[in-house]
Amino acid sequence: MTLSPAELPGADFYGFAAALSADEQAKLAQLRVFLATEVTPHAVGWWNNAEFPAQILPKIAALELAAPDRRRFSHLFTGLVVAEMTRADTSLATFFLVHHDLFVQALIDFGTPEQKERMLPDAISLRSTGAFALTEPDHGSDVAGGMVTTARRVIDDSGTHWVVNGAKRWIGNGTFCDRMLLWAKDADTGQVRGFFLDATLPGVTRTKIENKIALRTVQNAHITLVDVRVPEHDRLASVNSFEDINKLLLSSRISVAWQAVGQQLAAFDVARAYAVERKQFGKPLAAFQMIQDQLVKMLGNATSSLAMMVRIAALQDGAPGSTASAGSAAGPTMAQVALAKAHTTAAMRETVAMGRSILGGNGIVSDFGMAKIFADAEAIYTYEGSHQINTLIAGRAITGVSAIV
């Protein structure tokens, strides 16, 4: 039996998306059409040239998928949005997450009424863009205790402001953002402070990180801050510790786990299409048992990852049933999220490797799409907590013993 491409089952093999409301299914279908026409045909070119498609931002804003528009949607829908964006282009999905899930969400959760009125409309509409400046050149996983960027409160004739000194690295959107959510240690109290930093202020230097092999479309920056004067009205007044940052990072870590799902769906799409179309020894690759074995393993990895994230979404929506010490009515615990991120990204690494193998030599050139998918997976595996750190967070929860340090 030979089926046409249109007759083949989708990568959502068990139909998890069917749990969405009718409105959500229609919205997801609209997004898929947009991605298929506006993103997928151009994604490899953007990636090859390491250029960000700023011209597409008004079209993304018009989809009305950003917070607070998301409030009318389930967490399953918002997760599938991330997966679909990643399926089309990991870099564009990463931009979306940095801007909306970190910068905009922080403004909504922690911003003052004045800050929201001043910055939120332009941020939601993407007339202005944001970044999240936490990681430092010498501090990634240990930035909670190792942060060296400082902010010192100064009161003079001009009023109250903060003088910031230090450096940040790997800041997505950092080369072009209008503002960045900058985290610094209070030089007097040692507490972590957050600032909606105007990226054009004197003393801010932004340098694009070159020669990346993953997320080449994302404009990551190395940022230096020398005596940068930040006005008091740009400080997050309700943020006083790293625990406040963790609230944002938990949500962002969930989104990155959804990216691992989308990356696997992308790899499966490309590998299956190639296996059906490519002929060797007079028949399609798909007719060989070992190719089918790999495709089924890829689909199994993607499906198990998707199932885990569907459960995380249910916990976000208040479903009961957590086995963690804290109840899950208020959402998943950090340990549950860490396990999801660790598991889905490990499965993703195996999935994209099999996909690259199916394409043979064509799997190492970006022309066929798989090389880009394969390379971008390495970034997902590492950011928002490396695989090892997330493993140890989950390990601490199930043993009661910390092995992180």
Side-chain angles (χ1 to χ4, degrees), residues 66 147-148 163 186 188 208 235 291 315 317 324 334 338 359 362 390 402:
M147 187 180 297
V148 296
V163 177
D186 190 318
D188 297 318
K208 180 181 176 181
R235 180 174 69 87
I291 297 296
L315 292 174
D317 285 330
M334 181 61 85
L359 267 69
N362 288 332
N390 279 296
S402 177

Side-chain angles (χ1 to χ4, degrees), residues 264-333:
Q264 293 181 78
L265 298 179
F268 177 78
D269 289 342
V270 173
R272 180 175 64 175
Y274 189 87
V276 170
E277 297 167 4
R278 173 77 166 181
K279 291 186 177 180
Q280 291 288 285
F281 302 101
K283 56 184 178 180
L285 285 179
F288 293 91
Q289 292 178 359
M290 293 183 71
I291 297 296
Q292 289 200 8
D293 177 68
Q294 290 181 85
L295 287 171
V296 170
K297 286 179 180 175
M298 292 173 70
L299 181 60
N301 282 347
T303 301
S304 67
S305 298
L306 178 53
M308 178 175 277
M309 296 314 300
V310 169
R311 179 56 182 164
I312 290 288
L315 292 174
Q316 287 179 284
D317 285 330
S322 171
T323 58
S325 57
S328 62
T333 65

Side-chain angles (χ1 to χ4, degrees), residues 11-279:
D12 182 5
F13 203 62
Y14 291 139
F16 288 113
L20 298 174
S21 69
D23 287 344
E24 289 174 333
Q25 290 187 45
K27 195 74 173 176
L28 195 64
Q30 178 192 14
L31 174 63
R32 286 169 174 158
V33 170
F34 169 80
L35 294 171
T37 56
E38 301 286 348
V39 176
T40 304
H42 312 291
V44 169
W46 298 334
W47 193 88
N48 283 339
N49 296 323
E51 295 175 352
F52 183 79
Q55 72 279 3
I56 205 173
L57 296 186
K59 296 179 180 180
I60 294 176
L63 294 171
E64 298 183 338
L65 295 170
D69 296 308
R70 294 188 194 180
R71 291 176 182 171
R72 68 181 190 269
F73 300 126
S74 67
H75 283 93
L76 176 58
F77 173 81
T78 57
L80 288 171
V81 165
V82 173
E84 289 295 336
M85 281 192 170
T86 306
R87 192 178 190 174
D89 181 27
T90 318
S91 291
L92 193 63
T94 299
F95 161 81
F96 187 85
L97 296 181
V98 170
H99 177 78
H100 288 295
D101 285 19
L102 291 174
F103 182 85
V104 174
Q105 196 61 53
L107 186 53
I108 291 171
D109 291 347
F110 301 112
T112 65
E114 185 276 331
Q115 289 170 340
K116 293 177 185 178
E117 181 180 5
R118 176 161 50 96
M119 291 183 275
L120 197 52
D122 283 346
I124 289 174
S125 65
L126 287 172
R127 290 189 295 269
S128 67
T129 55
F132 189 83
L134 175 62
T135 304
E136 298 185 346
D138 296 320
H139 297 283
S141 298
D142 69 342
V143 72
M147 187 180 297
V148 296
T149 299
T150 61
R152 184 178 297 279
R153 188 167 179 257
V154 175
I155 302 176
D156 56 23
D157 293 340
S158 64
T160 301
H161 63 273
W162 296 76
V163 177
V164 179
N165 284 280
K168 297 293 180 178
R169 187 166 175 82
W170 294 113
I171 308 308
N173 310 343
T175 63
F176 63 83
C177 66
D178 298 289
R179 287 184 179 270
M180 62 185 76
L181 179 49
L182 177 80
W183 302 97
K185 184 178 291 186
D186 190 318
D188 297 318
T189 69
Q191 294 295 319
V192 173
R193 304 289 186 186
F195 303 90
F196 290 114
L197 177 72
D198 181 342
T200 65
L201 285 173
V204 178
T205 302
R206 302 184 280 177
T207 305
K208 180 181 176 181
I209 297 176
E210 302 282 3
N211 306 320
K212 296 187 301 176
I213 66 163
L215 299 185
R216 289 176 52 79
T217 305
V218 175
Q219 305 297 293
N220 293 96
H222 181 102
I223 299 169
T224 57
L225 308 130
V226 179
D227 293 333
V228 180
R229 291 169 59 97
V230 185
E232 169 66 16
H233 67 253
D234 282 343
R235 180 174 69 87
L236 278 76
S238 61
V239 171
N240 294 294
S241 73
F242 203 86
E243 287 303 311
D244 295 314
I245 302 177
N246 275 335
K247 296 174 185 177
L248 291 171
L249 294 182
L250 183 142
S251 177
S252 179
R253 193 162 289 174
I254 291 172
S255 294
V256 173
W258 275 109
Q259 279 197 290
V261 172
Q263 199 75 350
Q264 293 181 78
L265 298 179
F268 177 78
D269 289 342
V270 173
R272 180 175 64 175
Y274 189 87
V276 170
E277 297 167 4
R278 173 77 166 181
K279 291 186 177 180

